[in-house]
Amino acid sequence: MQQDILINWSPQETRVAVVEHGAVQEVHVERTLERGLVGNVYLGKVARVLPGMQSAFIDIGLERAAFLHVADLWQRPLEGESLPANRHGTPTRPIEKQVFEGQTLMVQVIKDPIGSKGARLSTQISIAGRMLVFLPQDDHIGVSQKIPAEQREVLRQRVQQLASAGVPDGKTGGFILRTNAEDASDAELTEDIAYLRKAWSRIREASVRQPPTSVLHQDLNLLQRVLRDLTAEHTQSIRIDSSEQFHALMAFGREFMPAAAAHLQHYRGERPIFDLYSVDEEIGKALGRRVDLKSGGYLVIDQTEALTTIDVNTGGFVGARNFDDTVFKTNLEAAQAIARQLRLRNLGGIVILDFIDMTQPEHQQAVLAELRKQLARDRVKTQIGGFSALGLVEMTRKRTRESLAQLLCEPCEQCQGAGRVRTARTVAYDVLREILREARQFDPKEFRIVASPAVIEMLLDEESQHLAGLSDFIGKPISLQAEDALGPDQYDIVLL
Protein backbone atom coordinates (compact mmCIF):
# COMPACT_ATOMS: atom_id res chain seq x y z
CA MET A 1 0.00 0.00 0.00
CA GLN A 2 1.46 3.33 -1.10
CA GLN A 3 0.87 6.34 1.14
CA ASP A 4 1.63 10.02 0.56
CA ILE A 5 1.11 12.78 3.11
CA LEU A 6 0.41 16.37 2.04
CA ILE A 7 0.80 19.28 4.46
CA ASN A 8 -0.76 22.68 3.75
CA TRP A 9 0.56 25.21 6.29
CA SER A 10 -0.49 28.79 7.02
CA PRO A 11 0.05 30.95 10.14
CA GLN A 12 -3.56 30.39 11.20
CA GLU A 13 -4.08 26.75 10.28
CA THR A 14 -2.30 23.49 9.50
CA ARG A 15 -4.05 20.93 7.28
CA VAL A 16 -2.81 17.41 6.61
CA ALA A 17 -4.16 14.93 4.05
CA VAL A 18 -3.24 11.24 4.00
CA VAL A 19 -3.48 9.86 0.45
CA GLU A 20 -3.41 6.13 -0.34
CA HIS A 21 -3.42 4.84 -3.92
CA GLY A 22 -4.38 8.30 -5.18
CA ALA A 23 -7.45 8.69 -2.93
CA VAL A 24 -7.73 10.94 0.14
CA GLN A 25 -8.24 8.73 3.21
CA GLU A 26 -7.75 11.08 6.18
CA VAL A 27 -7.83 14.81 6.84
CA HIS A 28 -6.39 16.43 9.98
CA VAL A 29 -6.84 20.11 10.85
CA GLU A 30 -5.26 22.17 13.63
CA ARG A 31 -5.94 25.88 14.11
CA THR A 32 -3.34 27.98 15.88
CA LEU A 33 -5.78 29.92 18.05
CA GLU A 34 -7.53 26.72 19.21
CA ARG A 35 -4.45 24.98 20.57
CA GLY A 36 -4.67 24.55 24.33
CA LEU A 37 -1.91 24.63 26.94
CA VAL A 38 -2.56 21.21 28.50
CA GLY A 39 0.64 19.15 28.45
CA ASN A 40 2.96 22.16 28.22
CA VAL A 41 5.85 22.19 30.69
CA TYR A 42 7.05 25.52 32.14
CA LEU A 43 9.76 26.70 34.50
CA GLY A 44 7.44 28.51 36.89
CA LYS A 45 8.18 30.98 39.65
CA VAL A 46 6.19 30.84 42.88
CA ALA A 47 4.40 34.19 43.22
CA ARG A 48 2.39 33.52 46.36
CA VAL A 49 1.79 30.68 48.84
CA LEU A 50 -1.62 30.36 50.51
CA PRO A 51 -1.36 27.98 53.52
CA GLY A 52 -5.05 28.38 54.33
CA MET A 53 -6.01 27.03 50.89
CA GLN A 54 -3.03 24.67 50.70
CA SER A 55 -2.22 26.10 47.30
CA ALA A 56 0.14 28.45 45.51
CA PHE A 57 0.01 30.84 42.58
CA ILE A 58 2.73 30.25 40.00
CA ASP A 59 3.89 32.72 37.36
CA ILE A 60 4.44 30.85 34.08
CA GLY A 61 4.43 33.89 31.80
CA LEU A 62 0.69 33.96 31.07
CA GLU A 63 -1.72 36.85 31.60
CA ARG A 64 -2.97 35.29 34.85
CA ALA A 65 -0.97 33.36 37.44
CA ALA A 66 -1.53 29.61 37.38
CA PHE A 67 -2.88 27.59 40.31
CA LEU A 68 -1.05 24.73 42.08
CA HIS A 69 -2.81 22.72 44.78
CA VAL A 70 -0.93 20.60 47.31
CA ALA A 71 -2.61 17.48 45.90
CA ASP A 72 -0.82 18.13 42.59
CA LEU A 73 2.64 18.46 44.16
CA TRP A 74 4.69 15.40 43.34
CA GLN A 75 7.06 14.32 46.10
CA ARG A 76 9.00 11.29 47.14
CA PRO A 77 7.74 9.98 50.50
CA LEU A 78 10.03 10.53 53.43
CA GLU A 79 11.05 7.49 55.44
CA GLY A 80 8.60 6.79 58.28
CA GLU A 81 6.14 9.43 57.07
CA SER A 82 2.44 8.62 57.65
CA LEU A 83 0.61 11.70 56.41
CA PRO A 84 -2.54 11.57 54.22
CA ALA A 85 -1.79 10.62 50.61
CA ASN A 86 -2.37 12.94 47.68
CA ARG A 87 -3.92 11.90 44.38
CA HIS A 88 -0.64 10.31 43.27
CA GLY A 89 -0.53 8.07 46.34
CA THR A 90 2.41 9.82 48.00
CA PRO A 91 2.23 11.31 51.53
CA THR A 92 1.27 14.97 51.56
CA ARG A 93 3.21 17.53 53.57
CA PRO A 94 1.77 21.04 54.04
CA ILE A 95 2.40 23.18 50.99
CA GLU A 96 4.20 25.87 53.03
CA LYS A 97 6.86 23.26 53.90
CA GLN A 98 7.42 22.40 50.25
CA VAL A 99 7.39 25.66 48.30
CA PHE A 100 8.24 29.28 49.04
CA GLU A 101 7.83 32.61 47.26
CA GLY A 102 10.44 33.22 44.58
CA GLN A 103 11.21 29.49 44.17
CA THR A 104 11.45 28.09 40.65
CA LEU A 105 9.47 24.93 39.92
CA MET A 106 9.11 22.73 36.87
CA VAL A 107 5.35 22.50 36.33
CA GLN A 108 2.96 21.10 33.75
CA VAL A 109 -0.45 22.44 32.75
CA ILE A 110 -3.23 19.93 33.51
CA LYS A 111 -6.18 22.27 32.87
CA ASP A 112 -6.44 25.23 30.51
CA PRO A 113 -7.32 28.69 31.87
CA ILE A 114 -11.07 29.36 31.70
CA GLY A 115 -12.61 32.83 32.03
CA SER A 116 -11.07 34.57 35.02
CA LYS A 117 -9.43 31.40 36.33
CA GLY A 118 -5.79 30.70 35.61
CA ALA A 119 -4.39 27.39 34.41
CA ARG A 120 -4.12 24.48 36.85
CA LEU A 121 -0.69 22.94 37.32
CA SER A 122 1.01 19.78 38.52
CA THR A 123 4.64 19.12 39.37
CA GLN A 124 4.38 15.49 38.26
CA ILE A 125 5.54 15.61 34.66
CA SER A 126 4.11 13.26 32.07
CA ILE A 127 5.09 13.19 28.41
CA ALA A 128 2.74 11.55 25.94
CA GLY A 129 4.03 9.46 23.08
CA ARG A 130 2.24 7.49 20.41
CA MET A 131 2.07 4.24 22.41
CA LEU A 132 3.22 5.25 25.88
CA VAL A 133 3.07 8.01 28.45
CA PHE A 134 6.41 8.61 30.20
CA LEU A 135 6.49 9.46 33.92
CA PRO A 136 10.16 10.35 34.49
CA GLN A 137 9.73 10.86 38.25
CA ASP A 138 8.07 7.47 38.78
CA ASP A 139 9.26 3.90 38.39
CA HIS A 140 6.11 1.81 37.85
CA ILE A 141 4.62 0.41 34.64
CA GLY A 142 0.88 1.01 34.25
CA VAL A 143 -1.51 -0.31 31.62
CA SER A 144 -4.71 1.30 30.35
CA GLN A 145 -7.83 -0.26 31.84
CA LYS A 146 -9.32 -0.39 28.33
CA ILE A 147 -6.81 -3.08 27.36
CA PRO A 148 -8.20 -6.58 28.09
CA ALA A 149 -7.11 -7.88 31.52
CA GLU A 150 -5.49 -11.03 30.11
CA GLN A 151 -3.07 -8.93 28.01
CA ARG A 152 -2.04 -6.37 30.61
CA GLU A 153 0.59 -8.39 32.47
CA VAL A 154 2.24 -9.55 29.24
CA LEU A 155 2.41 -5.96 27.98
CA ARG A 156 3.71 -4.73 31.33
CA GLN A 157 6.58 -7.23 31.26
CA ARG A 158 7.43 -6.41 27.64
CA VAL A 159 7.68 -2.69 28.37
CA GLN A 160 9.68 -3.37 31.55
CA GLN A 161 12.24 -5.37 29.56
CA LEU A 162 12.42 -2.84 26.71
CA ALA A 163 12.70 0.11 29.12
CA SER A 164 15.48 -1.45 31.19
CA ALA A 165 17.56 -2.45 28.16
CA GLY A 166 20.70 -0.31 28.03
CA VAL A 167 19.95 1.47 31.33
CA PRO A 168 22.81 0.48 33.66
CA ASP A 169 21.58 2.24 36.83
CA GLY A 170 18.11 0.70 36.62
CA LYS A 171 16.41 4.13 36.68
CA THR A 172 14.07 3.46 33.80
CA GLY A 173 11.34 5.90 34.78
CA GLY A 174 7.64 5.02 34.75
CA PHE A 175 5.48 4.27 31.75
CA ILE A 176 1.75 3.95 31.10
CA LEU A 177 0.67 1.91 28.09
CA ARG A 178 -2.02 3.65 26.09
CA THR A 179 -4.87 1.74 24.45
CA ASN A 180 -3.27 1.86 21.00
CA ALA A 181 -0.24 -0.01 22.40
CA GLU A 182 -2.34 -3.18 22.60
CA ASP A 183 -1.08 -4.49 19.25
CA ALA A 184 2.24 -2.61 19.15
CA SER A 185 5.43 -4.38 18.11
CA ASP A 186 8.65 -4.29 20.15
CA ALA A 187 10.18 -2.01 17.52
CA GLU A 188 7.35 0.51 17.85
CA LEU A 189 7.53 0.46 21.65
CA THR A 190 11.32 0.83 21.61
CA GLU A 191 11.06 3.81 19.24
CA ASP A 192 8.49 5.45 21.50
CA ILE A 193 10.62 4.90 24.61
CA ALA A 194 13.64 6.45 22.90
CA TYR A 195 11.62 9.48 21.77
CA LEU A 196 10.15 10.06 25.24
CA ARG A 197 13.49 9.82 27.01
CA LYS A 198 15.08 12.20 24.55
CA ALA A 199 12.23 14.67 25.07
CA TRP A 200 12.71 14.47 28.85
CA SER A 201 16.45 15.01 28.46
CA ARG A 202 15.78 18.19 26.48
CA ILE A 203 13.34 19.42 29.14
CA ARG A 204 15.91 18.95 31.91
CA GLU A 205 18.62 20.68 29.91
CA ALA A 206 16.31 23.61 29.15
CA SER A 207 15.33 23.94 32.82
CA VAL A 208 18.98 24.70 33.64
CA ARG A 209 19.56 27.16 30.80
CA GLN A 210 16.24 29.02 30.58
CA PRO A 211 15.04 31.80 32.93
CA PRO A 212 11.87 31.45 35.03
CA THR A 213 8.49 31.61 33.21
CA SER A 214 10.05 29.94 30.13
CA VAL A 215 8.31 27.20 28.15
CA LEU A 216 10.39 24.04 28.47
CA HIS A 217 8.21 21.71 26.43
CA GLN A 218 5.08 21.95 24.33
CA ASP A 219 2.83 19.08 23.42
CA LEU A 220 3.53 18.17 19.80
CA ASN A 221 1.72 20.21 17.18
CA LEU A 222 0.07 18.61 14.17
CA LEU A 223 3.20 18.94 12.02
CA GLN A 224 5.27 17.01 14.53
CA ARG A 225 2.52 14.44 15.11
CA VAL A 226 2.66 13.67 11.39
CA LEU A 227 6.14 12.23 11.90
CA ARG A 228 5.24 10.48 15.15
CA ASP A 229 1.76 9.13 14.41
CA LEU A 230 0.99 9.14 10.69
CA THR A 231 4.24 7.98 9.12
CA ALA A 232 4.43 4.23 8.49
CA GLU A 233 6.54 1.71 6.57
CA HIS A 234 4.50 2.25 3.40
CA THR A 235 4.84 6.08 3.49
CA GLN A 236 6.43 7.21 0.23
CA SER A 237 6.65 10.95 0.82
CA ILE A 238 5.69 13.75 3.22
CA ARG A 239 5.35 16.97 1.23
CA ILE A 240 4.97 20.35 2.92
CA ASP A 241 4.39 23.67 1.13
CA SER A 242 6.19 25.94 3.63
CA SER A 243 9.96 26.33 3.45
CA GLU A 244 10.22 27.61 7.02
CA GLN A 245 8.15 24.77 8.48
CA PHE A 246 9.96 22.23 6.31
CA HIS A 247 13.32 23.16 7.84
CA ALA A 248 11.87 23.26 11.37
CA LEU A 249 10.20 19.88 10.93
CA MET A 250 13.34 18.42 9.39
CA ALA A 251 15.39 19.53 12.41
CA PHE A 252 12.83 18.01 14.78
CA GLY A 253 12.67 14.80 12.77
CA ARG A 254 16.42 14.32 12.53
CA GLU A 255 16.72 14.55 16.30
CA PHE A 256 13.73 12.45 17.33
CA MET A 257 12.50 10.43 14.33
CA PRO A 258 15.19 10.16 11.66
CA ALA A 259 13.45 7.37 9.75
CA ALA A 260 10.29 9.47 9.30
CA ALA A 261 12.28 12.63 8.52
CA ALA A 262 13.88 10.86 5.55
CA HIS A 263 10.50 11.09 3.72
CA LEU A 264 10.19 14.88 4.11
CA GLN A 265 10.08 16.97 0.93
CA HIS A 266 9.57 20.68 0.36
CA TYR A 267 6.79 21.19 -2.19
CA ARG A 268 7.63 24.06 -4.56
CA GLY A 269 4.89 23.61 -7.17
CA GLU A 270 2.83 26.52 -8.48
CA ARG A 271 -0.47 24.74 -7.86
CA PRO A 272 -1.72 24.66 -4.23
CA ILE A 273 -0.56 21.39 -2.72
CA PHE A 274 -4.11 20.23 -1.92
CA ASP A 275 -5.03 20.57 -5.60
CA LEU A 276 -2.78 17.60 -6.41
CA TYR A 277 -5.41 15.14 -5.21
CA SER A 278 -8.47 17.47 -5.07
CA VAL A 279 -8.35 17.43 -1.27
CA ASP A 280 -10.56 20.50 -0.80
CA GLU A 281 -13.18 18.95 -3.07
CA GLU A 282 -13.07 15.74 -1.00
CA ILE A 283 -13.46 17.73 2.22
CA GLY A 284 -16.53 19.43 0.77
CA LYS A 285 -18.05 16.06 -0.13
CA ALA A 286 -17.22 14.65 3.32
CA LEU A 287 -19.36 17.37 4.94
CA GLY A 288 -22.46 16.25 3.03
CA ARG A 289 -24.92 13.44 3.79
CA ARG A 290 -24.80 11.71 0.41
CA VAL A 291 -21.82 9.87 -1.04
CA ASP A 292 -22.18 8.72 -4.66
CA LEU A 293 -20.67 5.40 -5.72
CA LYS A 294 -19.14 4.84 -9.15
CA SER A 295 -21.72 2.18 -9.97
CA GLY A 296 -24.63 4.61 -9.55
CA GLY A 297 -25.50 3.58 -6.00
CA TYR A 298 -25.00 5.90 -3.06
CA LEU A 299 -24.58 6.12 0.72
CA VAL A 300 -26.55 8.33 3.10
CA ILE A 301 -24.56 9.14 6.27
CA ASP A 302 -26.26 10.64 9.33
CA GLN A 303 -24.21 11.52 12.40
CA THR A 304 -26.08 11.92 15.69
CA GLU A 305 -24.92 12.34 19.27
CA ALA A 306 -25.47 8.66 20.10
CA LEU A 307 -24.39 6.92 16.90
CA THR A 308 -23.81 7.17 13.16
CA THR A 309 -26.02 5.44 10.60
CA ILE A 310 -24.96 4.63 7.05
CA ASP A 311 -27.65 3.56 4.57
CA VAL A 312 -26.73 1.87 1.27
CA ASN A 313 -28.95 2.40 -1.80
CA THR A 314 -28.73 0.96 -5.33
CA GLY A 315 -29.67 4.26 -6.95
CA GLY A 316 -29.32 3.98 -10.71
CA PHE A 317 -27.11 0.86 -10.76
CA VAL A 318 -28.59 -1.71 -13.19
CA GLY A 319 -25.35 -3.16 -14.50
CA ALA A 320 -25.72 -6.78 -13.38
CA ARG A 321 -27.86 -9.42 -15.08
CA ASN A 322 -30.12 -10.06 -12.11
CA PHE A 323 -31.19 -8.21 -9.00
CA ASP A 324 -29.14 -10.35 -6.57
CA ASP A 325 -25.93 -9.58 -8.45
CA THR A 326 -26.82 -5.89 -8.58
CA VAL A 327 -27.33 -5.80 -4.81
CA PHE A 328 -24.16 -7.79 -4.13
CA LYS A 329 -21.93 -5.59 -6.30
CA THR A 330 -23.42 -2.42 -4.84
CA ASN A 331 -22.81 -3.66 -1.29
CA LEU A 332 -19.22 -4.65 -2.12
CA GLU A 333 -18.48 -1.18 -3.47
CA ALA A 334 -20.30 0.34 -0.49
CA ALA A 335 -18.10 -1.63 1.95
CA GLN A 336 -15.00 -0.02 0.41
CA ALA A 337 -16.58 3.45 0.46
CA ILE A 338 -17.80 3.07 4.07
CA ALA A 339 -14.30 2.21 5.35
CA ARG A 340 -12.91 5.27 3.55
CA GLN A 341 -15.65 7.60 4.79
CA LEU A 342 -15.18 6.51 8.41
CA ARG A 343 -11.52 7.54 8.20
CA LEU A 344 -12.06 10.66 6.11
CA ARG A 345 -14.85 11.99 8.36
CA ASN A 346 -13.21 10.52 11.51
CA LEU A 347 -16.50 9.04 12.67
CA GLY A 348 -16.27 7.31 16.05
CA GLY A 349 -18.46 5.47 18.50
CA ILE A 350 -21.28 3.16 17.43
CA VAL A 351 -21.88 2.87 13.67
CA ILE A 352 -24.93 1.08 12.20
CA LEU A 353 -24.59 -0.06 8.59
CA ASP A 354 -27.76 -0.76 6.60
CA PHE A 355 -26.63 -2.68 3.54
CA ILE A 356 -29.18 -3.59 0.89
CA ASP A 357 -30.83 -6.90 1.85
CA MET A 358 -29.01 -9.93 0.46
CA THR A 359 -30.74 -13.31 0.24
CA GLN A 360 -27.59 -15.41 -0.13
CA PRO A 361 -25.46 -15.98 3.02
CA GLU A 362 -22.27 -16.23 0.96
CA HIS A 363 -22.89 -12.74 -0.35
CA GLN A 364 -23.24 -11.44 3.22
CA GLN A 365 -19.98 -13.07 4.27
CA ALA A 366 -18.17 -11.69 1.22
CA VAL A 367 -19.36 -8.15 2.02
CA LEU A 368 -18.26 -8.50 5.66
CA ALA A 369 -14.88 -9.84 4.56
CA GLU A 370 -14.40 -6.86 2.21
CA LEU A 371 -15.37 -4.42 4.97
CA ARG A 372 -12.89 -6.00 7.41
CA LYS A 373 -10.18 -5.95 4.75
CA GLN A 374 -10.67 -2.24 4.09
CA LEU A 375 -10.87 -1.36 7.79
CA ALA A 376 -7.59 -3.19 8.43
CA ARG A 377 -5.86 -0.14 6.91
CA ASP A 378 -7.40 2.11 9.56
CA ARG A 379 -4.96 2.94 12.38
CA VAL A 380 -7.95 3.56 14.67
CA LYS A 381 -9.27 0.45 16.39
CA THR A 382 -12.55 -0.96 15.02
CA GLN A 383 -14.80 -3.87 15.96
CA ILE A 384 -17.35 -5.38 13.59
CA GLY A 385 -20.25 -7.72 14.30
CA GLY A 386 -22.12 -9.90 11.83
CA PHE A 387 -25.47 -9.28 10.16
CA SER A 388 -28.32 -8.99 12.66
CA ALA A 389 -31.77 -10.52 12.25
CA LEU A 390 -32.86 -7.22 10.71
CA GLY A 391 -30.00 -7.26 8.20
CA LEU A 392 -27.98 -4.54 9.96
CA VAL A 393 -24.26 -4.58 10.74
CA GLU A 394 -23.16 -3.08 14.05
CA MET A 395 -19.61 -1.84 14.47
CA THR A 396 -17.61 0.51 16.67
CA ARG A 397 -14.71 2.80 15.88
CA LYS A 398 -12.64 4.34 18.67
CA ARG A 399 -13.15 8.07 19.17
CA THR A 400 -9.77 9.79 18.85
CA ARG A 401 -10.71 13.41 18.18
CA GLU A 402 -13.58 15.50 16.90
CA SER A 403 -15.14 14.40 13.64
CA LEU A 404 -14.45 16.47 10.53
CA ALA A 405 -17.96 17.96 10.63
CA GLN A 406 -17.65 18.88 14.32
CA LEU A 407 -14.29 20.52 13.63
CA LEU A 408 -15.26 22.52 10.55
CA CYS A 409 -18.98 23.19 11.05
CA GLU A 410 -21.41 24.56 13.60
CA PRO A 411 -25.19 24.17 14.00
CA CYS A 412 -27.26 26.23 11.59
CA GLU A 413 -28.73 29.38 13.17
CA GLN A 414 -32.00 28.83 11.32
CA CYS A 415 -32.68 25.17 12.14
CA GLN A 416 -30.49 24.91 15.31
CA GLY A 417 -28.83 21.77 13.97
CA ALA A 418 -32.09 19.91 13.22
CA GLY A 419 -31.41 19.93 9.50
CA ARG A 420 -34.96 21.10 8.73
CA VAL A 421 -37.04 24.29 8.89
CA ARG A 422 -40.81 24.62 8.91
CA THR A 423 -42.53 25.33 5.61
CA ALA A 424 -43.90 28.79 4.78
CA ARG A 425 -47.46 27.44 5.09
CA THR A 426 -46.74 25.98 8.56
CA VAL A 427 -45.32 29.34 9.73
CA ALA A 428 -48.27 31.19 8.19
CA TYR A 429 -50.71 29.08 10.20
CA ASP A 430 -48.65 29.70 13.36
CA VAL A 431 -48.90 33.44 12.68
CA LEU A 432 -52.67 33.31 12.29
CA ARG A 433 -53.05 31.39 15.56
CA GLU A 434 -50.76 33.83 17.34
CA ILE A 435 -52.81 36.84 16.16
CA LEU A 436 -56.00 35.21 17.43
CA ARG A 437 -54.33 34.57 20.78
CA GLU A 438 -53.06 38.17 21.01
CA ALA A 439 -56.46 39.61 20.04
CA ARG A 440 -58.03 37.98 23.08
CA GLN A 441 -55.55 39.66 25.44
CA PHE A 442 -54.89 43.08 23.87
CA ASP A 443 -56.87 45.75 22.01
CA PRO A 444 -54.53 47.46 19.52
CA LYS A 445 -55.63 49.51 16.54
CA GLU A 446 -53.84 47.20 14.12
CA PHE A 447 -51.79 43.99 13.98
CA ARG A 448 -48.69 43.93 11.81
CA ILE A 449 -47.05 40.67 10.73
CA VAL A 450 -43.28 40.89 10.18
CA ALA A 451 -41.93 37.70 8.58
CA SER A 452 -39.72 36.33 5.82
CA PRO A 453 -40.70 37.11 2.20
CA ALA A 454 -41.84 33.51 1.63
CA VAL A 455 -44.30 33.64 4.53
CA ILE A 456 -45.61 37.08 3.52
CA GLU A 457 -46.12 35.83 -0.06
CA MET A 458 -48.00 32.80 1.27
CA LEU A 459 -50.34 35.06 3.31
CA LEU A 460 -50.92 37.41 0.36
CA ASP A 461 -51.59 34.63 -2.12
CA GLU A 462 -52.77 31.17 -1.07
CA GLU A 463 -53.79 32.10 2.47
CA SER A 464 -55.24 35.54 1.71
CA GLN A 465 -58.81 34.32 2.25
CA HIS A 466 -57.96 32.95 5.71
CA LEU A 467 -56.13 36.18 6.59
CA ALA A 468 -59.13 38.29 5.56
CA GLY A 469 -61.48 36.02 7.51
CA LEU A 470 -59.36 36.38 10.65
CA SER A 471 -59.30 40.19 10.26
CA ASP A 472 -63.12 40.27 10.07
CA PHE A 473 -63.42 37.91 13.06
CA ILE A 474 -61.25 40.00 15.42
CA GLY A 475 -62.46 43.31 13.97
CA LYS A 476 -58.95 44.69 13.46
CA PRO A 477 -56.92 45.40 10.32
CA ILE A 478 -53.87 43.17 9.71
CA SER A 479 -50.90 44.55 7.72
CA LEU A 480 -47.92 42.63 6.32
CA GLN A 481 -44.21 43.49 6.22
CA ALA A 482 -41.56 41.31 4.55
CA GLU A 483 -38.13 41.26 6.23
CA ASP A 484 -35.22 39.63 4.42
CA ALA A 485 -33.16 39.41 7.61
CA LEU A 486 -35.61 36.98 9.21
CA GLY A 487 -35.16 33.23 8.79
CA PRO A 488 -37.73 30.96 7.09
CA ASP A 489 -39.59 30.20 10.34
CA GLN A 490 -39.00 33.46 12.22
CA TYR A 491 -41.72 36.07 12.60
CA ASP A 492 -42.96 38.84 14.88
CA ILE A 493 -46.42 40.24 15.64
CA VAL A 494 -46.34 44.00 16.21
CA LEU A 495 -49.25 45.67 18.03
CA LEU A 496 -49.91 49.19 16.68
Side-chain angles (χ1 to χ4, degrees):
M1 178 176 63
Q2 181 178 340
Q3 180 190 81
D4 294 285
I5 299 176
L6 309 180
I7 304 175
N8 170 225
W9 184 88
S10 65
Q12 66 273 12
E13 184 179 60
T14 301
R15 302 190 300 165
V16 175
V18 178
V19 180
E20 294 174 0
H21 299 298
V24 182
Q25 300 292 333
E26 296 178 29
V27 174
H28 302 259
V29 180
E30 181 179 79
R31 288 167 177 165
T32 306
L33 292 177
E34 295 174 358
R35 283 200 72 194
L37 303 176
V38 173
N40 289 1
V41 179
Y42 295 84
L43 188 62
K45 184 175 182 179
V46 179
R48 191 178 176 192
V49 180
L50 304 174
M53 296 176 58
Q54 283 297 290
S55 59
F57 287 106
I58 313 295
D59 182 9
I60 57 174
L62 302 180
E63 183 179 347
R64 291 182 298 274
F67 180 80
L68 175 67
H69 190 265
V70 68
D72 296 307
L73 267 169
W74 182 87
Q75 56 198 287
R76 291 195 180 278
L78 300 179
E79 188 175 351
E81 200 167 30
S82 58
L83 295 172
N86 68 4
R87 70 181 62 189
H88 308 303
T90 55
T92 302
R93 295 184 291 278
I95 194 166
E96 63 270 21
K97 294 186 177 181
Q98 300 185 65
V99 300
F100 54 88
E101 291 186 15
Q103 179 184 3
T104 56
L105 286 176
M106 186 188 296
V107 292
Q108 186 170 36
V109 178
I110 58 175
K111 189 174 182 180
D112 281 320
I114 301 175
S116 60
K117 295 183 178 180
R120 181 151 185 174
L121 305 176
S122 171
T123 59
Q124 181 173 41
I125 310 301
S126 63
I127 309 170
R130 181 182 178 187
M131 308 286 177
L132 305 165
V133 175
F134 184 38
L135 306 173
Q137 299 147 314
D138 267 317
D139 54 10
H140 76 280
I141 306 295
V143 183
S144 168
Q145 293 296 315
K146 294 183 180 180
I147 294 178
E150 60 273 13
Q151 299 182 32
R152 290 178 201 157
E153 188 56 37
V154 175
L155 282 169
R156 185 181 286 107
Q157 292 178 3
R158 282 177 58 198
V159 172
Q160 184 69 60
Q161 292 175 357
L162 294 171
S164 57
V167 183
D169 57 5
K171 295 181 180 179
T172 61
F175 291 92
I176 297 175
L177 283 91
R178 306 175 71 174
T179 50
N180 55 351
E182 182 179 347
D183 302 316
S185 65
D186 284 356
E188 290 174 320
L189 292 172
T190 301
E191 185 178 355
D192 220 25
I193 290 170
Y195 157 71
L196 292 170
R197 283 180 170 157
K198 190 172 288 187
W200 173 238
S201 177
R202 286 189 60 181
I203 292 172
R204 286 193 302 174
E205 292 174 4
S207 68
V208 177
R209 300 193 314 268
Q210 300 292 337
T213 73
S214 298
V215 182
L216 304 179
H217 171 78
Q218 285 184 301
D219 202 17
L220 298 190
N221 59 33
L222 179 56
L223 286 175
Q224 296 163 333
R225 293 200 306 274
V226 167
L227 299 186
R228 187 189 71 183
D229 300 341
L230 303 184
T231 308
E233 294 180 359
H234 48 270
T235 301
Q236 302 294 312
S237 67
I238 305 171
R239 285 178 272 183
I240 180 171
D241 59 3
S242 165
S243 174
E244 179 185 355
Q245 297 303 318
F246 166 75
H247 291 295
L249 192 56
M250 179 66 79
F252 171 82
R254 283 173 176 166
E255 181 172 0
F256 292 100
M257 302 152 194
H263 299 292
L264 274 172
Q265 299 175 12
H266 178 210
Y267 175 75
R268 296 182 174 87
E270 294 183 2
R271 294 173 60 195
I273 190 168
F274 269 25
D275 284 3
L276 298 182
Y277 294 95
S278 304
V279 178
D280 286 320
E281 183 180 342
E282 291 296 329
I283 292 175
K285 291 179 181 178
L287 297 177
R289 291 181 67 227
R290 175 166 169 154
V291 178
D292 292 317
L293 306 176
K294 292 181 180 179
S295 63
Y298 62 92
L299 310 177
V300 176
I301 302 175
D302 286 307
Q303 184 182 356
T304 68
E305 189 171 340
L307 50 81
T308 299
T309 61
I310 302 180
D311 184 31
V312 184
N313 299 276
T314 53
F317 181 37
V318 292
R321 294 183 179 180
N322 59 61
F323 183 71
D324 283 350
D325 285 346
T326 299
V327 168
F328 177 54
K329 291 184 178 179
T330 302
N331 282 339
L332 275 179
E333 185 182 4
Q336 300 171 6
I338 286 170
R340 176 171 177 256
Q341 289 298 321
L342 291 175
R343 293 178 64 187
L344 183 60
R345 298 169 185 245
N346 193 35
L347 299 174
I350 299 172
V351 183
I352 305 297
L353 311 178
D354 186 8
F355 288 100
I356 307 168
D357 290 340
M358 292 174 284
T359 58
Q360 301 180 36
E362 57 269 24
H363 284 177
Q364 291 184 345
Q365 296 307 313
V367 169
L368 281 177
E370 181 64 25
L371 181 62
R372 289 192 175 99
K373 175 185 172 184
Q374 297 297 326
L375 288 174
R377 302 176 181 175
D378 194 344
R379 64 174 54 84
V380 177
K381 186 177 180 180
T382 57
Q383 289 184 327
I384 310 171
F387 279 89
S388 70
L390 297 177
L392 304 174
V393 175
E394 298 177 6
M395 65 167 290
T396 61
R397 185 173 185 269
K398 188 178 185 310
R399 295 185 192 273
T400 56
R401 51 191 168 91
E402 290 182 311
S403 70
L404 192 65
Q406 290 169 333
L407 187 65
L408 302 181
C409 304
E410 63 183 5
C412 169
E413 291 185 1
Q414 305 297 339
C415 69
Q416 298 302 314
R420 301 178 187 276
V421 292
R422 291 178 295 170
T423 64
R425 190 183 304 278
T426 301
V427 177
Y429 290 167
D430 285 345
V431 169
L432 297 179
R433 284 191 292 269
E434 181 67 22
I435 289 178
L436 183 59
R437 189 180 298 114
E438 297 282 350
R440 290 170 177 168
Q441 300 180 49
F442 306 101
D443 186 29
K445 294 181 179 180
E446 177 186 336
F447 289 93
R448 176 169 296 171
I449 300 171
V450 182
S452 66
V455 173
I456 298 299
E457 184 178 353
M458 176 66 66
L459 291 169
L460 284 172
D461 187 8
E462 299 180 38
E463 300 300 332
S464 59
Q465 187 175 351
H466 292 145
L467 183 65
L470 177 62
S471 179
D472 291 341
F473 180 76
I474 64 175
K476 304 288 182 181
I478 302 174
S479 60
L480 306 176
Q481 178 180 331
E483 186 63 60
D484 291 330
L486 292 179
D489 54 1
Q490 294 177 324
Y491 65 87
D492 194 13
I493 308 296
V494 181
L495 309 182
L496 300 175

